[in-house]
Amino acid sequence: MTDLRRGSTQVLVLSLLAEEPMYGYQIAKELEHRSEGYFDFKEGTLYPLLHRMEKEGLVKGEWQVVEKGPSRKYYAITPEGRKTLEKSAAEWTTFSQRLLKILGQEAEPAST
Amino acid sequence: MTDLRRGSTQVLVLSLLAEEPMYGYQIAKELEHRSEGYFDFKEGTLYPLLHRMEKEGLVKGEWQVVEKGPSRKYYAITPEGRKTLEKSAAEWTTFSQRLLKILGQEAEPAST
DNA sequence: CTATGTATATAGATAATCTAGGTATACAGT
DNA sequence: ACTGTATACCTAGATTATCTATATACATAG
């Protein structure tokens, strides 16, 4: 399953952050919930990704102290992040369509 | 674009070989043609993949001498390859649907 | 004799992800 | 007091599909 998802992590994270700022743990839980358990982000994937995205200017992190429990680092999407999201979402859509076409999932009525 | 396609190469190759045996160069050209240039397999990807798939028993290669030009190694899909193809195609379909759902490509009518 | 197309092959680099570990707080159960 | 579970962050090292670049070899066109 790993290579299936390869490269999709970033666009998924960006799509969530486009709605509202979230912290890492929340992102993982939210994606798991929305996909009914299908997407299951590992910490070793998610946190380095968030750091990389921040370094690239796609998101901006900000620590927030919580009364009870560990502090959270909230990430907000930047204008550049939105641009990247739009572009990536379009690319993934094209890719999916191309792939499914080749795989014959187009559901053309069977000939003969 | 590299990580977009990651892992999809095998299922694409298998889907072609499910139709008829083909040789490496032919597979590359055929996929490029069917996708109108979208899929563009590199040699460094395709040949090692074919060797790996043969080692795993998904395909079986056979050299054929051609009157004019270099010999060709034709690959035929095995029963096990067909099983893998079915499973992989289903996985990719699920993945695509899940991804597009999260990305909001579902085209639900805007609320409000 | 050089370039292009056909056809296969491999060595080395790249990079996203996973595994497996770590730190720390809060709370429930024993 | 101790243990486990949930929350919340972090990173080092290994894995592996893919790409770049290079090599060999035959056929044909210029």
Side-chain angles (χ1 to χ4, degrees):
Chain A
M1 282 258 290
T2 294
D3 285 309
L4 226 80
R5 293 194 297 251
R6 195 128 185 149
S8 65
T9 310
Q10 178 172 301
V11 75
L12 284 171
V13 170
L14 282 176
S15 76
L16 285 201
L17 297 184
E19 295 176 12
E20 53 174 347
M22 293 186 189
Y23 55 98
Y25 193 82
Q26 182 185 11
I27 291 169
K29 294 297 169 193
E30 185 65 25
L31 272 174
E32 197 185 338
H33 178 249
R34 291 195 190 189
S35 67
E36 288 138 338
Y38 183 79
F39 291 115
D40 176 27
F41 283 22
K42 303 301 188 279
E43 296 169 343
T45 304
L46 186 56
Y47 290 114
L49 170 66
L50 287 168
H51 300 160
R52 184 168 64 246
M53 286 166 74
E54 182 164 26
K55 204 176 290 178
E56 290 169 0
L58 306 180
V59 299
K60 186 157 180 3
E62 196 179 347
W63 282 100
Q64 276 189 27
V65 177
V66 182
E67 283 197 28
K68 291 180 180 178
S71 291
R72 300 163 174 173
K73 195 167 181 184
Y74 278 84
Y75 289 93
I77 195 168
T78 64
E80 203 186 323
R82 285 188 192 276
K83 268 190 228 166
T84 300
L85 170 59
E86 265 184 56
K87 204 175 151 190
S88 296
E91 279 176 0
W92 274 100
T93 302
T94 301
F95 167 74
S96 294
Q97 288 166 349
R98 291 287 187 190
L99 183 75
L100 295 180
K101 188 171 177 182
I102 300 284
L103 293 185
Q105 299 291 332
E106 264 194 311
E108 257 190 309
S111 59
T112 311
Chain B
M1 279 260 292
T2 293
D3 285 310
L4 228 80
R5 292 193 298 253
R6 194 129 186 149
S8 65
T9 311
Q10 178 173 302
V11 75
L12 284 171
V13 169
L14 282 176
S15 76
L16 285 200
L17 297 184
E19 294 176 13
E20 54 174 346
M22 294 186 188
Y23 55 97
Y25 192 83
Q26 183 186 9
I27 291 169
K29 293 297 168 192
E30 185 65 26
L31 272 175
E32 196 184 338
H33 178 249
R34 290 195 190 190
S35 68
E36 288 139 338
Y38 183 78
F39 291 115
D40 176 27
F41 282 22
K42 303 301 189 279
E43 298 164 342
T45 303
L46 187 55
Y47 291 114
L49 171 66
L50 286 168
H51 299 160
R52 184 167 65 246
M53 285 166 75
E54 182 164 26
K55 204 177 291 178
E56 291 170 359
L58 306 180
V59 300
K60 185 154 181 3
E62 198 178 347
W63 282 100
Q64 274 189 29
V65 177
V66 182
E67 283 197 27
K68 291 181 180 178
S71 291
R72 299 164 175 173
K73 195 167 181 184
Y74 277 83
Y75 289 93
I77 194 168
T78 64
E80 203 186 323
R82 286 189 191 275
K83 268 190 226 165
T84 300
L85 170 59
E86 265 184 55
K87 204 176 151 190
S88 297
E91 280 176 359
W92 274 100
T93 302
T94 301
F95 167 73
S96 295
Q97 288 166 349
R98 291 287 187 191
L99 184 74
L100 295 181
K101 188 171 177 182
I102 299 284
L103 293 185
Q105 299 291 332
E106 266 194 310
E108 257 191 308
S111 59
T112 310

